Amino acid sequence: MVESTNGAADLSSEMEVDAFRRLFPLRFHERHLLESVRPDARPLGKARETSLALGAVASADGSALAKIGCTTMLAAIKMEVMTPAKETPDEGCIAIDFHMPAICSPIVRPGRPAEAAPVVSKQLSDTIISSGMVDLKELSLVSGKAAWMAYLDIYCLDADGALFDAALLAAVAAFSHLQIPVVSLNEEGRIVVFSKQNEGEKLKNKPVNEEKRKLKLRSIPFGLTCIIHKNYILADPIAEEESIMETLITIVLDSSYQLVSLYKPGGPAVAYESIIQDCIALSRQRVGELQTILNEAICDMEVD
């Protein structure tokens, strides 16, 4: 009888806490901030558990599945031969699209584009190009005639905060997994991409690259989004925290810990220099963690 009474009391207490969280979400979170802890028991400056799996899409030339907490991103790269622009005859191109299907979040409505999608898409494109991670000259095939176009599509499968950070990690991992297809010049001087169906033609035609090759990535960028609320800095926020604390700062550092970009989309808090420095310090720690996770995923792929 005593156990039954205690169980009922615990259930009642849980319901009260849940009701308080739903009715007064900001006050609920601020009570935790006073103890320098989050509702999920994380310290304020700690990111969520993160995992990477390379080769998640068998039909893609490069792919990866990235998870940061519940936030989940699937990235896939498809390579196609194109005619390079006259201004850059020795360079290929990268086209990036970020997708948020309705399944990823209750705030995304079927048939309506998510407001965050084009913002994240542009942020990803700016970051990947400005970081210099991919040397576009490596994507050239025949100067002025043929080059690779890398189509990178990233699908958000679960949008639980820090979307850009997870999308960037998935993109970086997909490029790490990418294998550029085998191509040759045919008798008309056109590029032929080899597949299992036309593998026999490889011997007849002049090879441009004789076997699949990987890109040499440089200055790999990693992102960390932080929320600024009063005197507190919360690293890697979940969607609930983002919805009630409006000031976000995203720091992107490369693998050499050099600043690639600083993005502050808005919010009432002023980004003082000391706050930015604290966010950069957290980002430096995060870069080390993510670099280790990426290296382990690459090693696991090579072993398989």
Side-chain angles (χ1 to χ4, degrees), residues 26 29-30 33 225-230 232 234 237-250 263-271:
L26 185 57
H29 280 268
E30 285 180 336
L33 292 179
T225 296
C226 297
I227 278 183
I228 313 300
H229 184 70
K230 297 182 177 178
Y232 301 104
L234 290 75
I238 61 172
E240 183 182 7
E241 291 169 333
E242 289 182 347
S243 68
I244 59 175
M245 307 177 201
E246 297 175 352
T247 304
L248 290 105
I249 294 180
T250 299
Y263 181 70
K264 182 179 181 294
V270 178

Side-chain angles (χ1 to χ4, degrees), residues 4-304:
S4 177
T5 303
N6 289 340
D10 290 342
L11 181 60
S12 175
S13 177
E14 287 179 14
M15 292 175 64
E16 288 177 6
V17 170
D18 187 57
F20 181 76
R21 183 173 189 166
R22 290 175 180 276
L23 292 171
F24 308 103
L26 185 57
R27 285 174 58 188
F28 173 81
H29 280 268
E30 285 180 336
R31 285 189 177 185
H32 286 80
L33 292 179
L34 291 173
E35 304 296 328
S36 296
V37 72
R38 322 269 274 274
D40 59 8
R42 273 190 296 156
L44 303 189
K46 185 173 177 57
R48 290 168 290 176
E49 288 291 322
T50 302
S51 64
L52 264 181
L54 304 189
V57 182
S59 59
D61 296 306
S63 61
L65 181 72
K67 291 191 69 174
I68 300 179
C70 290
T71 301
T72 307
M73 300 286 172
L74 178 66
I77 302 172
K78 200 69 179 172
M79 304 295 286
E80 289 188 9
V81 177
M82 65 158 197
T83 302
K86 292 182 180 179
E87 300 79 17
T88 53
D90 297 315
E91 293 184 1
C93 285
I94 299 172
I96 300 172
D97 247 332
F98 179 72
H99 310 269
M100 291 186 70
I103 194 174
C104 77
S105 170
I107 65 171
V108 178
R109 301 299 181 196
R112 297 183 183 179
E115 292 181 9
V119 177
V120 175
S121 189
K122 184 171 189 314
Q123 198 178 354
L124 284 168
S125 184
D126 291 345
T127 298
I128 289 172
I129 298 301
S130 65
S131 69
M133 176 181 73
V134 177
D135 182 358
L136 296 180
K137 291 185 182 299
E138 268 202 77
L139 299 178
S140 178
L141 287 168
V142 179
S143 180
K145 293 184 178 181
W148 286 112
M149 167 69 85
Y151 290 98
L152 169 62
D153 285 284
I154 303 171
Y155 295 87
C156 179
L157 305 182
D158 193 334
D160 189 27
L163 302 186
F164 170 77
D165 302 355
L168 179 59
L169 180 60
V172 164
F175 273 111
S176 298
H177 175 253
L178 174 65
Q179 287 192 312
I180 297 178
V182 177
V183 292
S184 286
L185 287 172
N186 66 12
E187 293 173 356
E188 289 81 32
R190 295 181 178 177
I191 293 291
V192 177
V193 179
F194 283 95
S195 63
K196 291 180 179 179
Q197 287 75 24
N198 63 5
E199 195 170 353
E201 297 179 23
K202 181 179 177 182
L203 299 174
K204 303 177 187 176
N205 302 320
K206 180 182 176 183
V208 177
N209 60 294
E210 295 184 350
E211 57 185 22
K212 289 185 177 183
R213 63 182 177 88
K214 299 182 80 67
L215 285 176
K216 297 176 183 176
L217 302 184
R218 311 168 302 172
S219 304
I220 297 174
F222 297 103
L224 178 67
T225 296
C226 297
I227 278 183
I228 313 300
H229 184 70
K230 297 182 177 178
N231 296 323
Y232 301 104
I233 299 175
L234 290 75
D236 180 29
I238 61 172
E240 183 182 7
E241 291 169 333
E242 289 182 347
S243 68
I244 59 175
M245 307 177 201
E246 297 175 352
T247 304
L248 290 105
I249 294 180
T250 299
I251 307 288
V252 179
L253 303 179
D254 65 21
S255 45
S256 299
Y257 301 100
Q258 299 300 308
L259 182 65
V260 175
S261 65
L262 187 154
Y263 181 70
K264 182 179 181 294
V270 178
Y272 293 109
E273 184 177 346
S274 59
I275 291 175
I276 292 174
Q277 291 297 333
D278 289 342
C279 290
I280 291 175
L282 290 173
S283 299
R284 289 175 67 87
Q285 294 177 12
R286 184 62 170 157
V287 166
E289 295 172 4
L290 294 178
Q291 185 70 70
T292 299
I293 291 169
L294 177 60
N295 290 342
E296 289 176 351
I298 293 172
C299 288
D300 290 344
M301 191 71 192
E302 290 173 349
V303 169
D304 293 342

